[in-house]
Amino acid sequence: MPEPAHITENKQVITENKRVVEGFLAAVNERRTEDFAVFLAPDVVDHNKIIHGEEDRPGAAFEGFAQQLAAFGQFAVTAEQLIAEGGTVVARLTVSGTHTGAHPRMPEPTHRSFSVEQIWIFTLRGSRIAEIRAVSDRLGMFLQLGWDWPAAG
């Protein structure tokens, strides 16, 4: 018996949303910042502070990701698992890099490397990433990089 049309359409949306997230992660890994606009909505909201001091406004994630790439000579985001439902894609990632450039949290490069597990939750609208939330092992990252933990404010 054939699937109802709404189930087939939902499967197609889920498959497309996973492709968008995979495309974005590939653009990050290949440092194709000019392609971010293909995958991120212009008003994308990143609910995480990628960079200390990053503006809290729609679209600030573009600059935040570019700053991360500038600070880490080697940087890789490896999707260990992607789970999708409707307009949401959850990615379990291994994120690694080597601190070789200026970073707002640590301006002087430590030339140390890190590798941590992170979980990013992407909300997609109109085949673009509209929101990003993440849970990451920042303490592990800071310890591996030799960065000071931020003072409580």
Side-chain angles (χ1 to χ4, degrees):
M1 183 166 150
E3 284 185 338
H6 71 281
I7 292 175
T8 301
E9 288 173 20
N10 190 41
K11 285 182 179 180
Q12 291 170 343
V13 167
I14 288 171
T15 300
E16 175 60 24
N17 286 346
K18 280 184 169 182
R19 281 193 199 123
V20 170
V21 168
E22 290 169 333
F24 173 66
L25 297 176
V28 169
N29 284 331
E30 296 164 13
R31 298 176 173 272
R32 291 183 285 115
T33 56
E34 68 280 0
D35 289 347
F36 287 0
V38 172
F39 306 106
L40 300 174
D43 59 348
V44 61
V45 175
D46 186 351
H47 296 281
N48 319 289
K49 298 317 273 180
I50 297 172
I51 301 287
H52 178 68
E54 174 185 334
E55 289 186 62
D56 191 17
R57 63 171 170 75
F62 285 89
E63 182 60 25
F65 280 109
Q67 285 182 354
Q68 284 288 86
L69 292 174
F72 293 94
Q74 294 177 352
F75 190 80
V77 180
T78 304
E80 306 294 348
Q81 187 175 19
L82 291 178
I83 302 167
E85 181 177 305
T88 302
V89 177
V90 178
R92 184 174 62 83
L93 307 169
T94 299
V95 179
S96 59
T98 302
H99 181 214
T100 57
H103 187 284
R105 221 180 260 286
M106 182 60 70
E108 292 299 318
T110 63
H111 300 282
R112 291 173 64 174
S113 298
F114 77 97
S115 180
V116 294
E117 189 170 52
Q118 299 183 358
I119 296 174
W120 294 6
I121 303 170
F122 298 94
T123 302
L124 288 91
R125 289 188 202 97
S127 296
R128 286 205 184 144
I129 298 166
E131 291 183 74
I132 305 169
R133 296 183 184 277
V135 177
S136 63
D137 179 8
R138 291 200 182 196
L139 178 58
M141 179 181 171
F142 278 48
L143 289 172
Q144 291 173 54
L145 292 171
W147 291 4
D148 293 329
W149 190 252

